Amino acid sequence: MSLRYALIALLTAQPMTGYEVSKRFGASVGHVWHAPDSQIYPELRKLEKEGLLVGEDVPWGTKTKTRYAVTEAGRQAFREWMNAPATPHYSRDPAYLRAAYLDQADPDRARQYLVRQKEFHAERLAVLEATRELLQARTHPVLAARFEHVPPEEHDRILAFRSYAYDGMIARERATIEWIDDGLRLLDTYS
Amino acid sequence: MSLRYALIALLTAQPMTGYEVSKRFGASVGHVWHAPDSQIYPELRKLEKEGLLVGEDVPWGTKTKTRYAVTEAGRQAFREWMNAPATPHYSRDPAYLRAAYLDQADPDRARQYLVRQKEFHAERLAVLEATRELLQARTHPVLAARFEHVPPEEHDRILAFRSYAYDGMIARERATIEWIDDGLRLLDTYS
DNA sequence: TGGCAATAACTATGTCCATAGGACATCGCT
DNA sequence: AGCGATGTCCTATGGACATAGTTATTGCCA
């Protein structure tokens, strides 16, 4: 259920075609809630059918593409979702499952695995930190587009919460990397 | 794909019926990889059909229930999975999405939301810490069952990696709780 | 011994999501 | 004018997962 709100959130910055959504998604809300094209396009159409988005046909070659904009109903639905009570969420991270049974793996493979994991998380950390910089500098394209039609006195507040989300993700990545280092040390101890 | 390995891992401790699996799951591997009954029962049958588990019929009233045990093929599949290269994993936590747009929520609702989230995470933290204690004391039922048929010199190693997984989850919960506290402070600043 | 709670085992249904594509458009080059 | 690279838009398929049930058995005690 979160994808739809991620899409609405993105489209409140500015109207976009499906392709633009799918591109910008990956560099903004997508950090926070990843989704592939194959989910984005159908969901956009579904949201249009439900009246949370309006699609405007734009000529494209001999065909047309659709530019989506958020409707008032869409804004309302988003606000309701934001104001809804919290629902518990089960974390399901395969890394913990593998970690728990790392004693069963070949120690060298286990080490390779952890090193690779560390690389993934280091890369993600770098992307998150870079994006956070862009936000702080107010040059992030989606944020900049949003600021163009939002009164300046709200800018700080918006920026503060966007950054806050990134802070959480960055802290998590850092903690994960430390945890992986612990795992490598554990492997050294027990092999 | 992880559920099946979580189930195999659990069943290597001792053979169990579907019901036992679904109960014990929640107090062990389930912390690491949550799954409801409706996924567990079909997956067990699928694993049996693939030969990774054997089911033995046990009379139960006028009917029978099935007690599952891991086959050698099952152990092998598990080892292969443990030795496979790491695959990236997209984190998808609705909490970050909501956090990013908390400026859109009614401040009181936002505060309620964060407080509730904090409760969830505090509860989960308590469960994880308690389970970790049980592991350390070697009184955790699943671990105890496993130790009965595993040579004593391997006990420490197994315990170390189980604890390691819990350490990671505990660290994550602690970090999340701190992050939520930051969010509450942020709300105070901007409202 | 009849009833009721707790235990045990399982199913149905729909949505979410990942993997893997397919098809047309535009641009720059030769 | 033709060709390939890249950009744009979208689909098909199956498995994973959540929510919400159903049916049978056992134990207990009034």
Side-chain angles (χ1 to χ4, degrees), chain B residues 17 21 27 70 89 118 140 153 178 191:
Chain B
T17 64
V21 169
V70 181
H89 117 275
K118 189 175 168 178
H140 187 290
E153 63 271 22
E178 279 175 33
S191 59

Side-chain angles (χ1 to χ4, degrees), chain A residues 42-112:
Chain A
E43 190 67 28
L44 287 172
R45 226 163 305 128
K46 206 173 152 203
L47 286 169
E48 189 191 6
K49 218 168 71 183
E50 293 175 27
L52 306 189
L53 300 179
V54 252
E56 173 201 4
D57 279 0
V58 177
W60 176 66
T62 59
K63 308 190 160 186
T64 62
K65 55 186 179 181
T66 316
R67 185 185 316 284
Y68 294 99
V70 181
T71 62
E72 189 44 44
R75 277 168 226 280
Q76 184 55 28
F78 185 78
R79 256 178 264 120
E80 274 164 26
W81 178 68
M82 285 298 303
N83 282 326
T87 50
H89 117 274
Y90 302 104
S91 99
R92 197 151 20 197
D93 190 335
Y96 291 127
L97 181 55
R98 262 174 92 145
Y101 297 95
L102 230 38
D103 60 286
Q104 307 258 341
D106 181 71
D108 281 338
R109 295 299 188 95
R111 199 167 279 109
Q112 275 172 36

Side-chain angles (χ1 to χ4, degrees), chain A residues 86-164:
Chain A
T87 50
H89 117 274
Y90 302 104
S91 99
R92 197 151 20 197
D93 190 335
Y96 291 127
L97 181 55
R98 262 174 92 145
Y101 297 95
L102 230 38
D103 60 286
Q104 307 258 341
D106 181 71
D108 281 338
R109 295 299 188 95
R111 199 167 279 109
Q112 275 172 36
Y113 165 75
L114 286 178
V115 167
R116 189 87 193 85
Q117 284 293 107
K118 190 175 168 178
E119 284 168 17
F120 285 138
H121 287 283
E123 270 169 45
R124 179 163 158 89
L125 176 59
V127 169
L128 291 173
E129 284 176 332
T131 308
R132 210 202 115 104
E133 289 301 311
L134 276 185
L135 286 172
Q136 295 284 334
R138 306 180 188 219
T139 52
H140 187 290
V142 177
L143 188 72
R146 185 183 304 277
F147 280 178
E148 297 214 347
H149 60 84
V150 159
E153 63 271 22
E154 292 178 24
H155 290 190
D156 282 1
R157 187 178 149 84
I158 290 174
L159 180 57
F161 285 103
R162 296 294 188 285
S163 301
Y164 170 63

